[in-house]
Amino acid sequence: GKWHMGVNCKTRHDHCHHPLNHGFDYFYGMPFTLLNECQGTDDPELAKSLQDTYWFYTEMIILAVFTLVIGKLANLFPVKWKIIICLAICGLLYFISWFSSYGFTKYWNCILMRNHDITEQPMNLQKTTSNMLKEAITFIERNKHRPFLLFVSLLHVHTPLITTEKFQGRSRHGLYGDNVEEMDWMVGKLLAVIDKEDLKNTTFIYFASDHGGFLEAHRGNSQLGGWNGIYKGGKGMGGWEGGIRVPGIIRWPGVLPAGTVIDEPTSLMDIYPTVVQLAGGAVPQDRVMDGHTLLPLLQGTEQHSRHEFLFHYCGVFLHAVRWHQKDSGTIWKAHYATPVFEPEASGACFRRGICQCFGDGVTHHDPPLLFNLSQDPSEANPLSADTEPLFDTVVRRMRRAVEEHHKTLTPVPQQLSPYNNIWKPWLQPCCGTFPFCWCNENNKT
């Protein structure tokens, strides 16, 4: 499915970020992410505000060159043709550099790979659902006689909401609802194969989402990014519950009793130590592990999540901290930074398209905004020293936890720096002769 971790570091073929260089034995899916540009819609998604800025500067360069040419021809002011030509060439190179990053997204980045080979460039979204499902089912059938780990990262329910004709119009909740129903059908197909191959009682299945609804995703009056119910905020907003609180569904007949509900805060970082324990291994002891195995909680040998603190980031910036105070059962949340909503009372960043993590796109809070999630899960009523007797005690304890957390971090190169987000031709995956990258394995003889 959607890997979204990239492919190359220094050359087109080093594949340093590829799944096969990070523990997986087989891969089929998108090495990048799914964008509106992949569908060819009129709603660009990739750094829309940045593109608008690039266009503005390009127009300024064009205007400057045009003004100089007119001034030269009309003898309004002395300027050498060499200067005009140099400015025009620089402007052209500037335009090519940024437009190549965004204007040709569909052809450069909307690709499918099987292991190290590109199978579709650009990918055919009309066939992606069936392709993904077929690959996953084949993988289960191929490995049914031995232990296996299958990670299916569905392209549903991510914009653009690619939905086959069979499911279009099925839901009363519009295209998003149709997409959810198709995802549900796909999951059902995978579970049916598990049951058919008599693997039901020996297979641990964990279904979850990586974030809450994307509130800014809409077309006209149609909401395309889901809905977060009573929870504030959404995808890409740092610490608000609407962006990070998602349900997890676990299925393991014969081991875990059906119908059990566990209301404890856990994390997707818990998947790694859980899988390691299921496989009979041990997690590394030479570093701090942010995740904890879920098995004691699921099997009832422990009543509370092992997470006392959870740290919620927006990019590299710590926005909020959650404290699960186990002696009282209270869950506190402190926000050190929150996104600036546009319009102010909208609860989302509609004007920007997605909330920023720093700069003028956030508001910093000192003391932090403090909420008691046990009583106020909607984060509607921030507490203060006047309204909460434990305010100062809780804030001090959480600040100490942040300091301890920071000591466990190791500096790494900034993956989301401007340089790392500009297209680099020498790193571009290409299944043809660059720059003519075009292929489809179904059309090969």
Side-chain angles (χ1 to χ4, degrees):
K2 183 164 73 88
W3 175 242
H4 201 168
M5 300 297 285
V7 183
N8 300 316
C9 287
K10 296 181 179 179
T11 70
R12 187 173 299 151
H13 303 291
D14 65 30
H15 288 191
C16 70
H17 297 304
H18 194 282
L20 269 59
N21 283 331
H22 292 274
F24 289 91
D25 300 313
Y26 182 83
F27 171 66
Y28 180 81
M30 291 191 74
F32 306 117
T33 190
L34 186 62
L35 297 161
N36 287 342
E37 285 87 342
C38 295
Q39 198 176 39
T41 66
D42 296 328
D43 303 313
E45 182 179 359
L46 189 61
K48 185 178 185 303
S49 60
L50 201 57
Q51 290 184 66
D52 292 340
T53 302
Y54 288 149
W55 261 122
F56 174 76
Y57 289 137
T58 301
E59 290 169 347
M60 291 299 98
I61 294 173
I62 293 173
L63 180 61
V65 172
F66 182 76
T67 301
L68 289 174
V69 170
I70 296 298
K72 175 70 173 179
L73 295 176
N75 293 319
L76 295 178
F77 43 80
V79 60
K80 295 181 180 180
W81 282 112
K82 188 180 295 185
I83 295 176
I84 297 175
I85 293 172
C86 286
L87 181 61
I89 292 174
C90 290
L92 179 63
L93 292 175
Y94 171 77
F95 171 76
I96 291 174
S97 68
W98 75 259
F99 191 80
S100 296
S101 302
Y102 304 113
F104 297 116
T105 298
K106 179 175 181 178
Y107 302 98
W108 293 145
N109 296 337
C110 301
I111 63 178
L112 282 178
M113 298 184 74
R114 178 181 287 104
N115 293 327
H116 289 293
D117 299 321
I118 299 174
T119 61
E120 288 185 24
Q121 188 174 20
M123 61 193 290
N124 183 348
L125 291 182
Q126 300 305 313
K127 297 181 178 179
T128 303
T129 297
S130 59
N131 287 343
M132 296 280 186
L133 191 56
K134 182 172 69 174
E135 288 284 337
I137 290 174
T138 302
F139 179 87
I140 294 172
E141 294 173 342
R142 190 166 65 243
N143 293 279
K144 62 185 178 182
H145 296 302
R146 59 180 180 177
F148 64 83
L149 169 67
L150 173 61
F151 172 39
V152 182
S153 183
L154 298 167
L155 300 185
H156 300 58
V157 288
H158 191 290
T159 55
L161 298 169
I162 52 171
T163 309
T164 59
E165 188 175 343
K166 174 182 174 183
F167 283 90
Q168 291 178 11
R170 290 260 299 248
S171 168
R172 62 192 178 101
H173 297 288
L175 183 58
Y176 185 86
D178 297 342
N179 206 246
V180 170
E181 291 205 12
E182 185 165 51
M183 177 185 65
D184 179 64
W185 170 79
M186 293 176 71
V187 173
K189 286 288 186 182
L190 294 176
L191 295 181
V193 175
I194 293 290
D195 294 349
K196 174 191 168 190
E197 300 297 345
D198 198 27
L199 300 172
K200 180 166 66 174
N201 292 339
T202 56
T203 304
F204 178 90
I205 298 172
Y206 185 14
F207 176 84
S209 175
D210 55 345
H211 55 69
F214 183 13
L215 300 183
E216 289 86 0
H218 63 282
R219 185 176 296 125
N221 294 324
S222 299
Q223 176 66 29
L224 302 179
W227 181 61
N228 298 318
I230 67 169
Y231 303 112
K232 189 172 186 176
K235 173 185 176 181
M237 295 191 191
W240 291 121
E241 288 293 280
I244 57 181
R245 183 189 286 236
V246 295
I249 304 173
I250 292 173
R251 178 185 189 254
W252 196 4
V255 178
L256 303 178
T260 303
V261 177
I262 298 175
D263 187 17
E264 289 287 310
T266 61
S267 166
L268 290 183
M269 293 184 292
D270 298 334
I271 293 176
Y272 170 64
T274 302
V275 168
V276 169
Q277 183 177 356
L278 286 169
V283 298
Q285 299 299 309
D286 61 345
R287 71 204 71 177
V288 174
M289 301 302 297
D290 294 310
H292 302 286
T293 175
L294 294 171
L295 294 183
L297 190 62
L298 297 174
Q299 294 172 332
T301 57
E302 294 182 3
Q303 301 304 311
H304 296 291
S305 166
R306 293 184 179 182
H307 289 283
E308 183 178 8
F309 293 95
L310 283 170
F311 304 92
H312 304 300
Y313 281 80
C314 186
V316 298
F317 302 96
L318 181 67
H319 273 210
V321 177
R322 179 190 312 259
W323 180 23
H324 188 202
Q325 194 175 7
K326 295 181 181 179
D327 54 353
S328 67
T330 303
I331 300 178
W332 305 94
K333 170 87 81 66
H335 289 265
Y336 299 100
T338 54
V340 175
F341 293 144
E342 297 177 315
E344 186 176 348
S346 65
C349 303
F350 290 111
R351 289 178 186 159
R352 294 181 187 265
I354 192 169
C355 292
Q356 287 188 316
C357 297
F358 61 94
D360 62 359
V362 300
T363 300
H364 295 275
H365 305 280
D366 187 14
L369 293 179
L370 183 67
F371 298 93
N372 182 342
L373 295 184
S374 305
Q375 300 176 357
D376 181 22
S378 299
E379 299 174 284
N381 303 300
L383 303 172
S384 67
D386 296 329
T387 60
E388 174 54 62
L390 295 175
F391 182 88
D392 291 331
T393 302
V394 170
V395 169
R396 277 198 305 270
R397 179 65 187 95
M398 296 178 90
R399 279 187 175 145
R400 193 162 73 248
V402 170
E403 293 171 0
E404 294 168 356
H405 164 67
H406 281 156
K407 293 177 184 177
T408 70
L409 303 180
T410 302
V412 296
Q414 171 58 274
Q415 293 294 312
L416 297 176
S417 66
Y419 174 76
N420 284 331
N421 278 273
I422 289 294
W423 179 63
K424 303 176 183 64
W426 58 94
L427 298 183
Q428 178 62 52
C430 181
C431 63
T433 301
F434 185 82
F436 305 103
C437 306
W438 193 289
C439 67
N440 188 324
E441 69 173 358
N442 295 322
N443 295 334
K444 294 179 180 178
T445 56

